[in-house]
Amino acid sequence: PGRSRTSTNTLPTPAAPGHAFAALTGGTRFTCGVTPQWVALCWGAGNSGQLGVQQLSSTVPVGVQGGLRFKQVSAGDVFTCGISTGARAWCWGDNSYGQHGAGIPGGLARSPVAVLTTERFRVITSGTTHACALALDGRAFCWGSGPPGGVGGPPPIPASTTPLAVQTSLRFRSLRAQGVTTCGRAMDDR
């Protein structure tokens, strides 16, 4: 991704010449990043809206629509979520499993949609069809679809279209979603 021609490289090559990134994340056939100026850029396949623009694909980085500034973005399978500089969670792309967290399952969004919560977040992570975020106080919240209990609720809650607090008294230092599961490192290093 990021090249205007097809080639096979055995050595690292610049993916987005002319752009500097503070962080990068990759989904299925697409990549997004945040610049040091808090601008979210995405490129690659975008047929489900995961690039955050109207285009179906782009070989060069394009700015996510909406004029928001992002501290961090996290790519899922064919959706993307991010934390704005105002500590709000936003998602775009595929929403088949409620992974936008906006209370409505289905469809897709080609620009950021606000996650339905008043919580403020410091980090977000995306799995195949779910997302989780850490609130400023270390509580974890998840939405979308996962295995029973996979979105933080007591089993059998396999999915939620809005953020659910993870059912634990633990506060987390970090979270990492992968596939249909999420793991966290507690503040007390458990």
Side-chain angles (χ1 to χ4, degrees), residues 24 29 36 40 44 65 71 83 89 91 100 102-103 105 108-109 113 151 158 167 179:
L24 292 168
R29 299 179 47 228
Q65 297 181 127
K71 295 192 298 185
I83 301 296
C91 297
H100 290 173
L108 59 86
V113 173
V151 291
Q167 299 298 300

Side-chain angles (χ1 to χ4, degrees), residues 72 121-125 132-141 166 168-177 182-190:
Q72 185 233 339
F121 298 105
R122 57 184 165 93
V123 69
I124 197 163
T125 183
C132 295
L134 277 181
L136 298 178
D137 65 2
R139 290 177 299 137
F141 291 81
V166 173
T168 181
S169 61
L170 294 173
R171 295 294 187 256
F172 293 92
R173 186 181 308 270
S174 63
L175 291 178
R176 175 72 170 116
T182 300
C183 294
R185 180 177 174 204
M187 292 285 197
D188 64 2
D189 290 326
R190 282 193 266 173

Side-chain angles (χ1 to χ4, degrees), residues 2 11 15 23 27 29 37 65 68 83-84 88 102 122 128 130 132 137 142 146 156 158 173 180-182 189:
L11 297 174
R29 299 179 47 228
Q37 295 78 32
Q65 297 181 127
L68 295 164
I83 301 296
S84 69
R88 296 288 187 188
R122 57 184 165 93
T128 302
H130 77 287
C132 295
D137 65 2
C142 297
R173 186 181 308 270
V180 296
T181 60
T182 300
D189 290 326

